[in-house]
Amino acid sequence: MSEKIKPAIEGGTPVRDTKLYYGHQYIDDADVAAVEKVLRSDFLTCGPEIDKLEKRLCDLTGAKHAVVCANGTAALHIAAMAAGIGEGDELITTPITFAASANCALYCGGKPVFADINPETYNIDPAKVEEKITSRTKAVVAVDFTGQAVELDRLTKLCKEKGIVLIEDGAHSIGTKYNGVPVGSIADMTTFSFHPVKTVTGGEGGAVLTNSDEYYEKLKLARSHGITRDAKLMEHEIDGPWYYEMVDLGYNYRMTDIQAALISSQLDKLELFKARRSEIVKRYNKAFAKIPQIFVQKEIPESDTTRHLYILRIKPETLTIDRKRFFEALGAENICGNVHYIPVYTFPHYERLGYKKGLCPNAEKLYNEIISLPLYYSLTDKDVDDVIAAVTKICAYYAK
Ligand SMILES: *Cc1c(COP(=O)(O)O)cnc(C)c1O
C-alpha cells in the first residue's frame, strides 16, 4: 500500500461501501430451535432450562454454584447484596468499566471508590486498590476489561489478607482462564453478562458464580423477592403445603427459560467464538504493532483470554488529529467504532455525589486515546483487512 492515501473524511474513497459496527451477535439455526422448543413447552420461566444452564456454567467454570439472573447488572447487584454491602460501606472498582460495576454499591447504600488502572493492560492496578483500602472497605469489583483477566493472584491474596470480598466482573471474560483456571471459580463471586454485544448472548441475561454455600443461598434469595420454600431457612411454622416465606428483601431478577435455552445453545459455540476472536485480535495486533502512532494493549501471560473488545489506542503526540477526529475519520471509512469506557466517576450523577475529574489520571488519559474496533465471530478476513487498511491510512495521513 502506498503512503498518504487521502482519507474519506478529506474527500478520498472509503475503504468499504457498507458499514461495519464494533459488535454483533451470532445466532444460528440451533439457537432458534432451542428457543422455539422452550416456547412450545410448559415452562417459560422457573423451568428446567434454568437448572440446565446453571449446571452448564458450573461445568464450564469449575465453580460450585451458579445463579442465573435477568442481566449482568442484576448479577452485580445481588453479588453486592450477598457481600453484605450496606450504608457507608466502600466498594473499590475501576473507572474504566460500564457504570453498573460501580452502581451496584450505590444500590446497596454503599460508596464506590475508584482505583486507577494499569496504563498498559487497562485493568485495575492491585497496588492502587491497596492504597484505597480503609476500615470501611467491604468489597472489590475487579473488571476483566476486554476479556483479559485481572491480576487475580495479587487481588485474591490482598482481599483475603484484609477480609474483603472479591467480586470479579466477568461481563467480558466468559471462557477466559487465569493460570489455567477458568474465570468463575477464582474470586469469591464472579458475574457474567449475556447482553448481545458480549461473547455469548441470551438477549439479556446474567449469572453469578461462587464456591461459597453461604453466598449461594443469599444470591438465590436476592434474585427472587427474598422468598424461600426451603424449610431450613424459614422462621415461622409451616402453615401447609402452599407455604413459603419472605425472609429478606429481594427483587424479581429471574431469567426466563427462553433466555436460558438461548444461552445454553450459544455456549455450544464458545470455543468457536473464542478461536475466531483470538484470530482477529492476532491480525489486528500484528498490523498495529508496526504503526508508530498506535499503542497495542499489553497481554499478561497468566490470562488465556477470550477477547470481548479490541481497543485501538492512539498516541496523540504522534498525530496531527485527536481521538475525536480519528473516530470520525474511521466512521467516514465506514468503520463504526465505539468508546469503552467513559470513566464512570465523570458522569453527572457521580459528579453530584462529589466525585471530581483528576481522580484516576491513567484512566482519564486512556479515555482520550481509545476507539473500540469491530470484533465479533462473524467478521470476515476481508472485514478485518478493511479495518486495518482504514487505521493504516488515517495514521499515515495524519502522522506528525
Ligand atoms: C455489560 C456489562 C455489565 C452489565 O451487564 P448487563 O447485562 O448489560 O446488565 C457490567 N459490567 C461490564 C464490565 C459490562 O461490560
Side-chain angles (χ1 to χ4, degrees), residues 62-186:
K64 187 170 176 195
H65 303 291
V67 175
V68 298
C69 58
N71 52 61
T73 303
L76 284 161
H77 186 184
I78 62 176
M81 287 169 74
I85 304 286
E87 211 62 50
D89 291 331
E90 294 175 1
L91 176 153
I92 301 173
T93 191
T94 170
I96 297 296
T97 185
F98 185 62
S101 313
N103 292 348
C104 64
L106 298 179
Y107 297 155
C108 298
K111 181 182 167 201
V113 172
F114 295 93
D116 209 351
I117 55 162
N118 175 308
E120 296 191 323
T121 65
Y122 317 151
N123 269 336
I124 199 166
D125 180 345
K128 296 280 166 40
V129 173
E130 189 161 9
E131 282 171 21
K132 298 279 178 169
I133 293 173
T134 71
S135 58
R136 302 307 313 258
T137 308
K138 197 108 189 215
V140 169
V141 171
V143 180
D144 299 327
F145 181 59
T146 73
Q148 171 160 246
V150 289
E151 292 171 65
L152 280 160
D153 50 355
R154 290 178 67 188
L155 287 170
T156 46
K157 186 161 171 280
L158 177 64
C159 288
K160 196 165 272 169
E161 275 169 18
K162 307 274 183 183
I164 294 167
V165 182
L166 178 61
I167 301 170
E168 188 174 358
D169 181 343
H172 299 183
S173 64
I174 193 165
T176 291
K177 292 185 178 131
Y178 184 82
N179 284 332
V181 183
V183 158
S185 62
I186 303 169

Side-chain angles (χ1 to χ4, degrees), residues 241-276:
W242 63 86
Y243 191 69
Y244 60 83
E245 256 178 22
M246 183 186 140
V247 294
D248 222 328
L249 183 63
Y251 299 85
N252 179 356
Y253 276 166
R254 292 186 305 266
M255 177 186 278
T256 67
D257 280 56
I258 306 165
Q259 292 164 284
L262 177 52
I263 295 162
S264 287
S265 176
Q266 288 258 298
L267 284 171
D268 292 341
K269 295 180 274 287
L270 180 57
E271 282 306 312
L272 275 178
F273 289 167
K274 176 173 184 165
R276 179 61 185 151

Side-chain angles (χ1 to χ4, degrees), residues 191-202:
T191 63
F192 290 144
S193 162
F194 302 108
H195 182 276
V197 298
K198 307 293 159 68
T199 301
V200 166
T201 189

Side-chain angles (χ1 to χ4, degrees), residues 316-390:
E317 66 282 5
T318 67
L319 290 162
T320 59
I321 55 170
D322 62 6
R323 187 272 311 273
K324 180 161 178 267
R325 186 72 178 164
F326 202 112
F327 189 96
E328 290 164 351
L330 269 179
E333 303 292 340
N334 286 321
I335 311 297
C336 305
N338 207 320
V339 172
H340 298 90
Y341 288 98
I342 303 163
V344 174
Y345 60 79
T346 64
F347 286 126
H349 184 77
Y350 277 87
E351 227 170 42
R352 283 193 288 274
L353 294 173
Y355 296 83
K356 291 197 172 58
K357 274 216 173 109
L359 199 56
C360 298
N362 293 340
E364 291 179 30
K365 182 171 187 328
L366 179 75
Y367 166 63
N368 285 314
E369 302 178 352
I370 53 177
I371 299 168
S372 304
L373 294 182
L375 178 61
Y376 50 91
Y377 174 72
S378 56
L379 274 186
T380 65
D381 287 350
K382 167 74 168 61
D383 294 333
V384 176
D385 288 345
D386 287 345
V387 176
I388 292 169

